[in-house]
Amino acid sequence: MKSNNGIKFLTPAVSPGNHCPMRIASVNVEKIKDLSSLLVGMPECTTYSRLFNPKPEGRHGELHWLYVLDAHEVVFGCRDGLIDALRKMDKAGAKAILMIVTCVPELIGEDIQAIINEVQPELSTRVTFVMLGQFKNISYPPGSWKTMEALGTLMDGKATASNRVNVLGRAPEEEHIPMPSLLPTLTRRGLALRYLAPGSSLDDLQSAPDAALNLVVSPFMQALAARMEQEYGVPYIALHTLYDVESIDKAYTALAEYFGFSWDNTFKKERQEALSLQSQAKERLGGLRYVFCPRIDIPLPLAVYLTGLGMEPLLLHLEEYYPEDRGYAKELIDMGHNPWICRMVNAQADLPILKKLAPDLCFGYLPEPNKTITCVPDLFDFYGQVGYARTSHLLKRILDVLSEMNATGKGGTAHGSASI
Amino acid sequence: MGLHRFKPLPSGRMGILWTLAAIRDAALVEFGCMGHMLYSGVTLKRAGVHNACKLYSTHIDETDIALGGTERLNHTIDNVVKRDQPRVIFLLPSSIPEVIGTDLPALCAELQPEYPGVRLLPFGYGGFNITHHRGVQEALQLLVKTLPADVKRTQEPTFNIIGSCADLFRFQADAMELVRIMEGTFGIKPLCVMTSDTSITEIENMGGAHINLVIRREGEPAAKHLRQRFGTPYLLGRPYGIDGTTRWLEQIAQIAGLTPDSAFLKEQREISWQQLASVMPSFSHIIRAHPEEAVLSLGGHADVVRGILTFGCGELSLAKGTCWCDCPDMTSEDIPYFSEDEWTRAVQEHKKGYLMASGEALEWAGRNAELQISNPDIKWRLHPYEPPFTGFRGAVHLVNLWINENIED
């Protein structure tokens, strides 16, 4: 498997299936202050986008309008109509516009970049676009990472502020996600953090190239970080893929060296806890076979980590094969494992296959309370968390599930392993 | 179609899907990207369609499009047949197969011999110039052309309702009221409530009915086909108001040769007038002393708008305000089709009186959302037990809404 196209469906009849990337793009754009959007598509896409971004006008005057192709435009293109729509949105006061292009305009090969090139000089609003036809972007993650990457177009090159750090993947206000200890520590060291994610403002996004460093804490922001490095020379450190204590050590050390300080014993306690849990996990998880179901946002790096602890991957549901996943896939193979990769699109039909595989542990979403497969459910709540504490929380959760399973005398190695 | 601030006119494909998705013992497979079906499913759940047709998608990717691959469809059908054993599988194209010209009927004809116990029924009208109302019409028509079996009239009189579909606001409550008054007035039961409360078997048996009640104009071609094949007479109309409902029942009696239970009818009329009695003086006062507040503006399906308008202006002496329908093919002199620009202007210009329109329009304008009579909806409708707009109970409900609007003013 070398790309998203290589991920086959585990069973053929899709019900209900993965979210469309248009959904995530619609949700995200609605959260960015002062950013307007124009969703381009057929009646289905434009109608259903209102499930996620229900109002045509936002709280700060943002416009979230829709452009629907008619029968003539499906054949002859929608260039004139889109130019007219952008002019109207400009006149109505849009500060910046993200065009979200769905299946049919992508299928007919409408050249959106050429349209923007043609109309941009006469507009006061800045326009960017993201191509999100689901026939090319099978699941929802591109709705996030391609959308955020597209916002790089709206950025302005600025002089670097030596103490400015962008945190890519957390919004300024995140009530439901614990703050990783690293970030307030950086603030105490005199660094000015700017949080960039859906929930930030257009102004923050546009100013982002003035940072000395980007810290990536979400898979949905790495593409933007790579783009900023290429276009504005802002280097980045990706923290979201690091679970192993040693790899976190290296990243934290590199970060301190970059700004010319040392951590001393700042993270000693939480590092010790992570190390202790990691050695416990090696003892208890070694030899257990696992599968990944949906709702794991960083699957291949997590699979590499769990396999490094001695677990055996059987089957991995991948929502998305990220550009950077190739390295993790190689690492997994180098460790002597070549698990099946799939996309689960029908939870009820997929369940008998999972039962037949008889894994010791399942990670992610299972469709019903399932007594025969021990499950570490939904891992989405680790989103935006990084560092030693995330590793500790993850391992505690896994070990708690194991303890509960052993206490009831069900599942786990007590049952032995079944062949595939 | 162009630039929109609000939901655009749904496509014919959406109209077909909303019509078929309520039918039990069937599965529906859409050939196309899976997002369509996922969000159609959400929309149907929001509208209150549960445990009906099983919804599937094949998904489609770049390779399928480039090479015209349809293997996903074959595999999906095979899987659905084995897992669910549906009586019928409805097949729908989504927008991409429409662009690339996938021939669903030909594919179904090729696959059908492999599944003798399951009927594969492809639906067309997926083109880009077809509105959702046309999709509803074609879906109803194809259902009655293909599924009804050769059956004799039922011994006891029965009836079908044609056109109760999930695209209409409060479709289930309205159909339940019609069933209630039909049972009360004539002592007869429905064979098929197409499609909001029906199954493949009930559609197969619908030729046994003594009359077809067509409650929206999109159902008339289906009713004409049934008249031609089974000789079943039909009545086209939605009953609104107390007198309007009485007239509708009298027409049914005449067409089907049924004898109404005059005691039931009298009782229903009396109960309705008694329930209205306490507010009628206030109503009369508003109409007489504040005529500018006794104006009824309506936007929605043409048949719904006409029905409520006839009741409000004909039986209660309200004045007609700005009225519009939501389908260009149904435009008329007194109830024209309004584009988005036109209806937003009409809503903004409506200063006094009663404004009944879609949930989306009322919410945007900051108007009373209780006065919703049409879709797009903005809320979940988990259950069908809301009061209806049609029939005797619908008449009382409408007056109740209007008098409360006066209090809120």
Side-chain angles (χ1 to χ4, degrees), chain B residues 249-329:
Chain B
L249 289 166
E250 286 166 353
Q251 284 177 292
I252 292 169
Q254 195 181 12
I255 292 170
L258 298 167
T259 307
D261 179 343
S262 52
F264 174 82
L265 264 180
K266 184 168 177 277
E267 183 202 33
Q268 288 295 304
R269 288 177 61 86
E270 281 175 4
I271 290 172
S272 304
W273 282 119
Q274 280 165 13
Q275 287 171 332
L276 299 185
S278 50
V279 301
M280 288 317 286
S282 307
F283 227 79
S284 301
H285 169 74
I286 291 164
I287 291 164
R288 194 176 53 252
H290 306 282
E292 74 284 0
E293 292 178 20
V295 173
L296 183 58
S297 292
L298 302 160
H301 188 284
D303 296 340
V304 173
V305 169
R306 184 169 301 287
I308 296 176
L309 186 67
T310 304
F311 169 49
C313 299
E315 295 182 40
L316 296 176
S317 304
L318 297 174
K320 177 176 179 264
T322 307
C323 295
W324 70 95
C325 72
D326 57 11
C327 173
D329 300 336

Side-chain angles (χ1 to χ4, degrees), chain A residues 401-411:
Chain A
V401 169
L402 271 188
S403 300
E404 200 178 319
M405 177 180 80
N406 291 337
T408 56
K410 288 178 181 174

Side-chain angles (χ1 to χ4, degrees), chain B residues 321-388:
Chain B
T322 307
C323 295
W324 70 95
C325 72
D326 57 11
C327 173
D329 300 336
M330 296 181 189
T331 193
S332 63
E333 203 170 319
D334 56 340
I335 305 175
Y337 165 70
F338 273 8
S339 66
E340 182 180 294
D341 282 347
E342 289 166 321
W343 72 250
T344 49
R345 204 177 313 124
V347 166
Q348 280 175 322
E349 286 171 358
H350 182 100
K351 301 297 180 198
K352 286 192 169 180
Y354 313 108
L355 174 64
M356 307 187 88
S358 73
E360 185 184 48
L362 294 170
E363 193 210 28
W364 163 73
R367 307 298 292 248
N368 181 3
E370 292 284 309
L371 296 186
Q372 179 176 353
I373 56 164
S374 58
N375 288 329
D377 202 353
I378 51 164
K379 293 183 177 173
W380 284 81
R381 310 289 169 183
L382 293 180
H383 61 80
Y385 312 120
E386 302 270 4

Side-chain angles (χ1 to χ4, degrees), chain A residues 211-227:
Chain A
L213 183 72
N214 280 332
L215 282 181
V216 183
V217 300
S218 152
F220 303 142
M221 299 298 275
Q222 185 149 348
L224 178 62
R227 180 175 182 176

Side-chain angles (χ1 to χ4, degrees), chain A residues 199-279:
Chain A
S200 306
S201 68
L202 175 65
D203 190 40
D204 276 346
L205 280 160
Q206 289 183 316
S207 309
D210 71 355
L213 183 72
N214 280 332
L215 282 181
V216 183
V217 300
S218 152
F220 303 142
M221 299 298 275
Q222 185 149 348
L224 178 62
R227 180 175 182 176
M228 288 176 70
E229 184 173 51
Q230 195 177 11
E231 293 183 11
Y232 300 104
V234 183
Y236 73 89
I237 296 176
L239 298 173
H240 62 289
T241 50
L242 308 177
Y243 291 95
D244 182 65
V245 172
E246 196 183 331
S247 64
I248 299 170
D249 288 345
K250 283 181 188 164
Y252 279 24
T253 304
L255 176 57
E257 281 174 359
Y258 187 83
F259 288 106
F261 59 78
S262 72
W263 293 115
D264 301 323
N265 290 325
T266 309
F267 299 109
K268 188 179 175 187
K269 197 175 161 194
E270 56 184 274
R271 183 179 179 279
Q272 273 307 120
E273 188 186 7
L275 262 182
S276 159
L277 283 161
Q278 202 168 269
S279 68

Side-chain angles (χ1 to χ4, degrees), chain B residues 122-140:
Chain B
F123 280 75
Y125 286 90
F128 298 105
N129 54 354
I130 309 282
T131 62
H132 105 261
H133 300 86
R134 184 73 187 279
V136 171
Q137 177 175 309
E138 297 303 329
L140 292 170

Side-chain angles (χ1 to χ4, degrees), chain B residues 386-408:
Chain B
E386 302 270 4
F389 294 115
T390 58
F392 295 114
R393 289 181 178 173
V396 177
H397 174 217
L398 282 165
V399 174
N400 198 40
L401 289 173
W402 293 332
I403 198 71
N404 281 328
E405 181 74 348
N406 287 124
I407 290 168
E408 283 173 16

Side-chain angles (χ1 to χ4, degrees), chain B residues 161-180:
Chain B
I161 292 177
I162 297 175
S164 169
C165 304
D167 65 311
L168 291 182
F169 180 65
R170 212 160 282 189
F171 63 105
Q172 289 160 313
D174 278 343
M176 284 161 72
E177 169 67 355
L178 301 190
V179 170
R180 185 188 75 84

